[in-house]
Amino acid sequence: MMGTPIHEETYRDHTIKIVPDPDPENPRDYDNLGTMSCWHRRYMLGDKHDREDPRDLLVDLCGLDGDTDLPMNALIERASRRAVILPLYLYDHSGITMNTTGFHCLWDSGQVGYIYVTLDDIRKDYGVTRVSKNLRTRIADHLRQEVQTYDHYLTGNCYGFIVEKDDDEVASCWGFLGDYDGYCLAEAKSSVN
């Protein structure tokens, strides 16, 4: 069932309707570079994992024994030598949203996990023997983009388009994440062309 269009326009004698996607695919089911590990008492967020808490993840990334008594800040510092790792923050108030920089509301937000990719995986995926500072920066930007895509999913910023000619549907496509007036609308117009 089609929802109410949030945008409608006539383009080359066709009617383009942009509508909310009622059943968007979770972008964490895509082939992602990063692994998103989250812990929250009410929500299942990110990728599936079996680690009990963030400390277990950091100990694993460091290649240490689980009995280590290193504090969290030391574990994060050591893990950063073996992976590109970014914190994940969640704001939960009349809906949820996620980013890697945090939110200004101390009551309704906090860190819920990490997104990371190991240097070994970067070497393998990018075919390099050394992970340069420049490559680390590019990977961190890529991980931020994965979080932004996931945030679009969490916030319901998911769309599809329907193209009609004389009240008959001639094209449609679903699964666009992000602002509808960008790629989604361009694809709708492209389907008319």
Side-chain angles (χ1 to χ4, degrees), residues 29-136:
D29 294 338
Y30 303 167
D31 186 21
N32 293 292
L33 176 65
T35 300
M36 190 179 282
S37 294
C38 299
W39 294 266
H40 195 281
R41 67 179 188 266
R42 290 188 316 206
Y43 305 116
M44 296 298 297
L45 299 166
D47 301 318
K48 291 181 180 159
H49 64 86
D50 58 1
R51 293 184 178 96
E52 203 165 302
D53 59 36
R55 182 178 182 80
D56 290 347
L57 168 66
L58 296 173
V59 167
D60 285 351
L61 287 175
C62 293
L64 297 171
D65 185 314
D67 294 334
T68 183
D69 59 355
L70 285 173
M72 286 293 283
N73 60 345
L75 288 172
I76 291 168
E77 184 180 322
R78 286 181 100 157
S80 295
R81 291 185 217 138
R82 299 178 64 151
V84 175
I85 183 169
L86 300 172
L88 294 172
Y89 298 95
L90 189 76
Y91 177 71
D92 183 1
H93 188 88
S94 301
I96 59 176
T97 186
M98 182 181 282
N99 69 28
T100 61
T101 56
F103 298 94
H104 295 290
C105 178
L106 299 176
W107 294 104
D108 295 327
S109 67
Q111 186 173 351
V112 292
Y114 296 95
I115 186 168
Y116 66 92
V117 60
T118 66
L119 297 186
D120 287 341
D121 285 342
I122 294 169
R123 287 184 198 100
K124 184 171 50 174
D125 289 350
Y126 285 78
V128 296
T129 55
R130 183 180 152 278
V131 179
S132 67
K133 184 177 180 180
N134 186 26
L135 183 54
R136 273 181 170 270

